[in-house]
Each structure stands twice: as C-alpha cells, then as structure tokens.
Amino acid sequence: NRRTLILGAGAAAVVSPFAASFAQKAKFNYKYAHNLPVTHPLHKGAESVAAAVKAGTAGLVEIQVFPNNQLGNDTDMLSQVRNGGIEIFSIASLILQTLVPAAGISGLGFAFPDYPAVWKAMDGDLGAYMRSEIGKKGLFAQEKIWDNGFRQVTTSTKPVKTAADLDGMKLRVPPSPLWTSMFKAFGAAPASINFAEVYSALQTKIVEGQENPLAVIETAKLYEVQKYLSLTNHMWDGYWQLVNQKAWDRLPDDARKVMAKAMEEAAILERAEVAALNGSLQAVLEKNGMVVNQVDKESLRQKLISAGFYSEWKTKFGDAAWATLEKYTGKLA
Ligand code: X2X
C-alpha cells in the first residue's frame, strides 16, 4: 500500500508536504517506453524512477514502464513520444538524429577514449548543447544521459581483426544517418534495422552481423545467433530520457523536481552497472560459445579518415558544435 511504499523508500520526512499539496489534485498516468530487455540495467533504472516518483509524489504521478519494444520499435516510439501517445521514452542519441541532427555528434567513430572523457563531455557543454537542440523539437531531455556503452562488432561468419575484414560485410546498424555513413566509410554494407527486428534478422541471416555494447549483446541473447565478438570499441552510445514537452509542463513543479532527481540518481547507478557489465561480460559470452578477438582499431580509424568521414560530418554538424566536441576529445581529424 501507499504508506508502506513511502516509508520503504525512506522518504517519510519529505513526503507529508507533498501528500498534503497533491492530495486533491488529479492523477497523472505516464507511459515510459524503451527498447531493451528487462534484464538490462536501463530497465531497472526506469523502474526505480517509476517507484521514486510514485513515492515522492504520494501517488499523484504513476509511471508504467514498457520494456522490450512492447509499444513499437524505436521509429514508432519516437513518433509516439512526439505526439504524446507515450510520455517518456528512452532513446539512443543517434536514433534521434533523424529528428534532431545534432544528436548524432556524440557517436562519431573513435571520438571518446574512455568513460571519464564521455561523462565530462556529456555532463558538460556537449550534453548541454545537445539537450538544447532536442528541446527545440518539443521534447525535454533529462539532464544526465544514461549509458548504452562502447560498441563492439559481432558476426556469424568471421571475426573482424582489421578494417579489411569489414569490406563488403552485411551488418545491421540502427536507423541513423551517422551510423550508416560510418559503416559505409569502413567499407561495409550497412542495413538500417530497428532493434526490435535485430534478433530475427541475425537468425534468418538477412545480415551477417551487428554492433552493440556487451550489456546489450548478453541481455538480448544475441550470442545465440552470433559466433564472433570483435572488440572494435568503435564508438560510444548513450540513452536520453525524453519527456514529451507538454506532458512535462503539465506536471506540478514539485513533481517535476521529484522526477528530475529520480532520473539523475538512476543515471548514476545505471552508468555504474553498465560499466561493470561491460567489464565482466566477455567471459560470460565466451562461456555461451562466442569467440572473442582483439582488433587493430587504428586500421579502422584510418579508414574513416581516408574515406573523408570526419570532414564530411564536421561540415554537417558545423564548426561550433565540432569545437565543443573537440574540447573533450582533442583533435579528431
Ligand atoms: O538498436 C541498438 O542497437 C541499440 C539497442 O543499441 C540502440 O538502441 C542504439
């Protein structure tokens, strides 16, 4: 019951003023959707936000989490969060690129050397710039981006050891201009497929491979339909927690504060959990039959440079945005 929930969340001291001010008001029922399995830390994070918001608003705001593309694939969910059919949507930044061009900039190949560089940029000026661009499209992005991770290539056919192995390889990439452009620059033959269809596309060999962080490869059981895991580390990827702007504005001030705080706390926990998984899952995947190999990453980076990938995207993102990124990454090209 409500009372146990509140006390259980350890929020008894701050709840009574909310309970009093919210008691007479209408209830908000919000949907929170994402594309990952329930075993992924992002889902636990979304559930913890729902629980904290319910407790912190004394039941005024109730959030129901829909994992695993239950409400449609990413393309469907993006249009639903825009028209208000879904109030909250967790989406990988680059998939937003079709709507918000600037949202692709954090996924440039080999931009971030490690997590400290990622969080400095995303919690700093680069993230702030991206959030303001997202805001122009009627979507409110919660302040701290959540982690997806550094991405690795898997295939059913052969390992990727150098850039030459990617030549002509049929690989699934998420729907996003930068992703397609990057894998074309690598010399591969990328196919845009929503995550909802990835397992079956791999199983039926519509594509021979895909790329994702270890936490996704393991929780989505892609090891069942993929043999080789090549540690390309070719890009970092993160999830914005988007709220339909009208749905955000409709909430009372206090409720918005409760949600923002819950989102931030969940972000910090989710980042730590994903990083831990990405550090420990290699052994688990090997146990599940995957063959893991190291990669000549420099050969991949050189391929992007010689294909003109960085200069093309510098022009597309613009000098100001590019300079903001390079403040954190150093010169990219
Ligand atoms: O679609 C993918 O590969 C995933 C799950 O990583 C994203 O949402 C970008």
Side-chain angles (χ1 to χ4, degrees):
N1 72 28
R2 182 178 294 180
R3 192 176 161 75
T4 330
L5 246 176
I6 292 165
L7 295 173
V14 291
V15 152
S16 49
F18 285 127
S21 63
F22 287 159
Q24 268 82 334
K25 292 176 191 158
K27 208 164 141 169
F28 298 87
N29 288 289
Y30 279 12
K31 297 191 186 79
Y32 187 172
H34 67 80
N35 68 0
L36 291 176
V38 296
T39 43
H40 191 283
L42 182 136
H43 178 69
K44 283 184 248 163
E47 289 288 12
S48 76
V49 168
V53 167
K54 185 174 178 178
T57 64
L60 179 83
V61 182
E62 245 187 82
I63 296 171
Q64 193 181 352
V65 183
F66 294 88
N68 222 0
N69 296 295
Q70 279 173 11
L71 300 185
N73 65 32
D74 280 317
T75 307
D76 299 330
M77 290 191 284
L78 181 56
S79 53
Q80 290 177 73
V81 75
R82 292 184 72 192
N83 67 30
I86 293 172
E87 287 80 11
I88 312 169
F89 177 33
S90 182
I91 184 177
S93 194
L94 274 74
I95 297 176
L96 245 190
Q97 197 188 7
T98 45
L99 175 67
V100 183
I105 195 164
S106 54
L108 281 159
F110 305 104
F112 298 111
D114 51 28
Y115 273 123
V118 167
W119 303 134
K120 220 173 154 195
M122 298 310 294
D123 293 341
D125 293 345
L126 188 69
Y129 162 71
M130 294 168 77
R131 290 179 65 240
S132 81
E133 290 295 305
I134 294 167
K136 292 175 185 168
K137 301 289 180 174
L139 294 166
F140 175 76
Q142 296 287 336
E143 193 157 323
K144 282 202 188 318
I145 195 167
W146 295 18
D147 194 20
N148 191 2
F150 284 90
R151 299 178 76 97
Q152 324 295 347
V153 171
T154 68
T155 79
S156 57
T157 49
K158 64 171 193 186
V160 173
K161 291 179 175 159
T162 72
D165 295 314
L166 282 170
D167 211 54
M169 194 176 256
K170 269 208 106 174
L171 290 178
R172 172 270 175 172
V173 294
S176 141
L178 187 127
W179 242 307
T180 301
S181 157
M182 187 154 66
F183 277 82
K184 279 189 179 153
F186 282 140
S192 253
I193 298 175
N194 270 300
F195 191 65
E197 290 92 45
V198 164
Y199 187 97
S200 73
L202 294 169
Q203 189 174 39
T204 58
K205 305 227 159 54
I206 287 171
V207 287
E208 56 196 291
Q210 63 87 47
E211 44 80 63
N212 248 304
L214 299 191
V216 173
I217 296 168
E218 202 274 332
T219 57
K221 298 187 162 51
L222 299 187
Y223 54 81
E224 293 176 351
V225 287
Q226 296 280 271
K227 182 74 186 169
Y228 299 99
L229 167 58
S230 301
L231 300 173
T232 49
N233 243 43
H234 54 277
M235 66 191 280
W236 174 79
D237 183 33
Y239 277 87
W240 293 111
Q241 312 306 308
L242 301 182
V243 187
N244 171 281
Q245 188 71 56
K246 286 187 190 132
W248 181 245
D249 293 342
R250 238 188 342 261
L251 294 175
D253 252 1
D254 289 347
R256 279 201 297 264
K257 282 195 191 108
V258 168
M259 197 196 292
K261 182 163 175 279
M263 283 283 187
E264 181 165 344
E265 287 171 0
I268 290 163
L269 201 64
E270 193 267 358
R271 289 174 180 184
E273 286 181 3
V274 172
L277 280 182
N278 286 338
S280 68
L281 282 180
Q282 187 183 318
V284 176
L285 291 167
E286 280 173 325
K287 234 185 229 144
N288 280 293
M290 293 197 91
V291 176
V292 182
N293 70 278
Q294 299 299 321
V295 179
D296 174 5
K297 296 194 262 298
E298 186 55 21
S299 77
L300 270 72
R301 201 177 70 87
Q302 286 304 327
K303 198 81 202 269
L304 293 184
I305 293 171
S306 64
F309 172 79
Y310 294 103
S311 44
E312 178 191 334
W313 283 96
K314 184 178 180 182
T315 306
K316 284 189 175 148
F317 289 127
D319 288 344
W322 198 266
T324 305
L325 173 66
E326 285 190 333
K327 228 169 62 175
Y328 300 98
T329 60
K331 279 263 169 259
L332 285 178

